[in-house]
């Protein structure tokens, strides 16, 4: 009987989309796959895992929480790990691929409770330029950490690493060969901000664009990810400013939106930066300010250093500062084109294929060592 590969991922799309991209590549090579995820993500009703085994495990984040919340989180993770232990005995996986965040903890921790000959190998994928806390915890069990960035802070000394890049959805991958055209009469601005839209953008971006001259505003087409509670207010702000807009809590056609975007404003999560570089789109990045290790700041800094983006810290972002910056930038097509070129140069295309190659190589090593 073929031993399957467990994909351990959940939470937001930023963690799950790379996992699904890898799983799609592995499935095309004939591997059996199992998803272990968290209650927040739940069972997938569409996509690759819809018709494959899925298991939802207990778990909760502990970073940045108070003592009582940490204790509840640790208890939930241990319950999830114990449930994962029973699942591992049933399905006997050959490998677990963890994509960071607390959803990776129960499947991998649970695998350590199995006997040596049945214990699956562990490969971690780190999507940020700073090793996440979950991956830091799990690194002692891993044979390899695959990284998305050439330089990753806090990697354990002596642990085997491999630069594979961040797997992206196939429709995003297809944008790598699409050229960038600077704005002409129309300016397409894409604003995104995580799984539900960053609320700070719902206030500051409309106000910033409203400060631009009327002739400039008439050229703007804004596509913005907006929290459902803010939709009416944001739409009203754009209508008052005479700016055309398309607003939604989530866009299913994000590849189409990236393709037509002249500039992107958003957070600097690992998946977001990967999608920006694969599509070769210049961006204004505002790292999430509450991240414990400022991993988004580290992500943004690497792209800024390459000339592919500009960064604002959220505590310095005001309608006035953003408006002044955009008014200059969007009237400088050569500067935008240069940033687009630099962003694409920083990209690591075909990352799902590279990561799948790594997984197969480590499985081959594992089988040789246990035969």
């Amino acid at each position: 009987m073929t031993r399957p590969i467990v994909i351990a991922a959940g939470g937001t799309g930023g963690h799950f989309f790379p996992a699904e991209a890898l799983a799609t590549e592995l499935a095309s090579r004939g591997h059996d796959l199992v998803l272990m995820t968290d209650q927040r993500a739940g069972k997938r009703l569409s996509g690759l895992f819809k018709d494959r085994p899925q298991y939802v495990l207990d778990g909760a984040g502990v970073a940045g929480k108070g003592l009582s919340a940490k204790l509840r989180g640790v208890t939930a993770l241990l319950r999830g790990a114990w449930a994962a232990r029973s699942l591992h005995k049933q399905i006997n996986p050959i490998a677990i691929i963890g994509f960071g965040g607390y959803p990776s903890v129960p499947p991998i921790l649970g695998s350590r409770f199995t006997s040596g000959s049945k214990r699956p190998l562990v490969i971690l994928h780190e999507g940020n330029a700073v090793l996440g806390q979950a991956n830091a915890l799990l690194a002692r069990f891993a044979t390899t950490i695959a990284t998305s960035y050439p330089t990753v802070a806090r990697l354990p000394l002596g642990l085997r690493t491999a630069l594979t890049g961040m797997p992206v959805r196939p429709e995003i991958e297809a944008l790598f060969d699409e050229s960038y055209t600077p704005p002409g009469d129309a300016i397409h601005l894409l604003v995104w901000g995580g799984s539900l839209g960053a609320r700070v953008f719902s206030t500051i971006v409309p106000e910033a664009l409203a400060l631009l001259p009327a002739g400039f505003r008439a050229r703007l087409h804004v596509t913005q990810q907006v929290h459902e509670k803010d939709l009416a207010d944001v739409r009203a702000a754009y209508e008052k400013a005479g700016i055309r807009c398309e607003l939604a809590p989530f866009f299913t056609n994000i590849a189409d939106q990236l393709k037509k975007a002249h500039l992107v404003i958003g957070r600097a999560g690992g998946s977001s930066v990967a999608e920006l570089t694969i599509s070769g789109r210049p961006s204004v990045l505002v790292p999430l300010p509450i991240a414990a290790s400022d991993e988004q700041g580290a992500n943004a800094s690497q792209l800024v250093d390459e000339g592919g983006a500009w960064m604002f810290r959220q505590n310095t972002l005001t309608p006035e500062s953003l408006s002044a910056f955009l008014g200059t930038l969007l009237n400088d097509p050569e500067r935008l084109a240069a940033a687009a070129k630099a962003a694409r140069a920083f990209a690591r295309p075909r990352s799902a294929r590279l990561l799948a190659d790594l997984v197969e190589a480590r499985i081959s090593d594992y089988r040789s060592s246990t035969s």
Side-chain angles (χ1 to χ4, degrees):
M1 181 178 176
T2 303
R3 297 175 67 182
I5 297 172
V6 170
I7 303 295
T12 63
H15 283 287
F16 187 78
F17 289 145
E20 189 171 45
L22 170 67
T24 300
E25 178 65 25
L26 289 171
S28 73
R29 304 182 184 194
H31 293 282
D32 293 329
L33 299 165
V34 173
L35 175 65
M36 292 190 182
T37 188
D38 66 312
Q39 293 177 338
R40 178 180 176 183
K43 285 197 172 183
R44 314 304 293 192
L45 303 179
S46 62
L48 178 83
F49 287 106
K50 176 172 66 73
D51 299 317
R52 286 178 166 81
Q54 302 182 52
Y55 302 97
V56 178
L57 302 173
D58 282 346
V62 298
K65 303 290 181 66
L67 180 59
S68 61
K70 282 183 184 292
L71 290 173
R72 289 194 300 271
V74 169
T75 301
L77 290 170
L78 290 175
R79 283 199 308 270
W82 195 250
R85 170 184 175 272
S86 297
L87 291 171
H88 290 319
K89 287 185 175 181
Q90 295 173 31
I91 64 178
N92 190 24
I94 185 114
I96 305 175
I97 318 302
F99 279 81
Y102 73 81
S104 292
V105 174
I108 293 174
L109 193 60
S111 74
R112 300 303 94 182
F113 298 143
T114 57
S115 63
S117 61
K118 295 286 187 179
R119 185 174 290 175
L121 68 90
V122 172
I123 298 171
L124 301 177
H125 181 271
E126 178 54 60
N128 294 304
V130 178
L131 189 69
Q133 295 192 20
N135 276 349
L137 170 69
L138 299 172
R140 70 198 69 188
F141 309 127
T143 61
T144 308
I145 293 183
T147 66
S148 298
Y149 289 84
T151 303
V152 178
R154 301 200 320 195
L155 283 174
L157 292 175
L159 182 63
R160 200 172 183 180
T161 62
L163 175 59
T164 62
M166 170 73 83
V168 300
R169 290 165 279 182
E171 61 269 28
I172 303 291
E173 186 78 47
L175 296 178
F176 186 70
D177 296 321
E178 295 283 344
S179 61
Y180 174 81
T181 302
D185 293 336
I187 302 172
H188 290 275
L189 184 65
L190 173 61
V191 185
W192 62 14
S195 59
L196 293 176
R199 302 192 78 173
V200 64
F201 297 145
S202 296
T203 54
I204 289 180
V205 174
E207 290 182 30
L209 298 180
L211 294 175
L212 295 170
F216 201 112
R217 298 198 304 271
R219 299 168 59 199
L220 285 170
H221 297 248
V222 179
T223 301
Q224 184 164 346
Q225 188 183 15
V226 178
H227 194 284
E228 188 173 2
K229 294 179 180 179
D230 299 326
L231 277 171
D233 289 342
V234 175
R235 184 170 285 110
Y238 282 129
E239 288 178 354
K240 182 178 179 180
I243 296 172
R244 283 163 287 187
C245 67
E246 179 184 355
L247 311 176
F250 185 80
F251 290 102
T252 57
N253 62 335
I254 197 64
D256 294 334
Q257 303 295 352
L258 273 171
K259 183 176 179 179
K260 67 182 181 181
H262 295 117
L263 180 71
V264 180
I265 298 175
R267 295 299 194 194
S271 287
S272 295
V273 172
E275 292 175 350
L276 289 168
T277 59
I278 287 291
S279 61
R281 291 305 181 260
S283 57
V284 175
L285 300 175
V286 184
L288 184 70
I290 61 172
S293 304
D294 191 31
E295 56 267 26
Q296 290 200 10
N299 297 347
S301 293
Q302 292 206 22
L303 188 53
V304 169
D305 289 346
E306 297 297 321
W310 299 269
M311 179 168 61
F312 279 80
R313 289 294 185 173
Q314 188 165 310
N315 61 359
T316 68
L317 187 70
T318 65
E320 293 76 16
S321 64
L322 182 59
S323 182
F325 180 77
L326 293 178
T328 300
L329 178 63
L330 292 173
N331 268 326
D332 192 341
E334 291 185 1
R335 190 178 179 196
L336 286 167
K341 182 178 180 181
R344 179 165 279 126
F346 191 68
R348 191 159 293 275
R350 297 174 291 280
S351 291
R353 190 184 308 171
L354 291 171
L355 184 52
D357 290 345
L358 175 69
V359 170
E360 290 186 329
R362 296 296 177 267
I363 288 176
S364 178
D365 294 343
Y366 174 80
R367 285 175 172 151
S368 297
S369 67
T370 56
S371 60

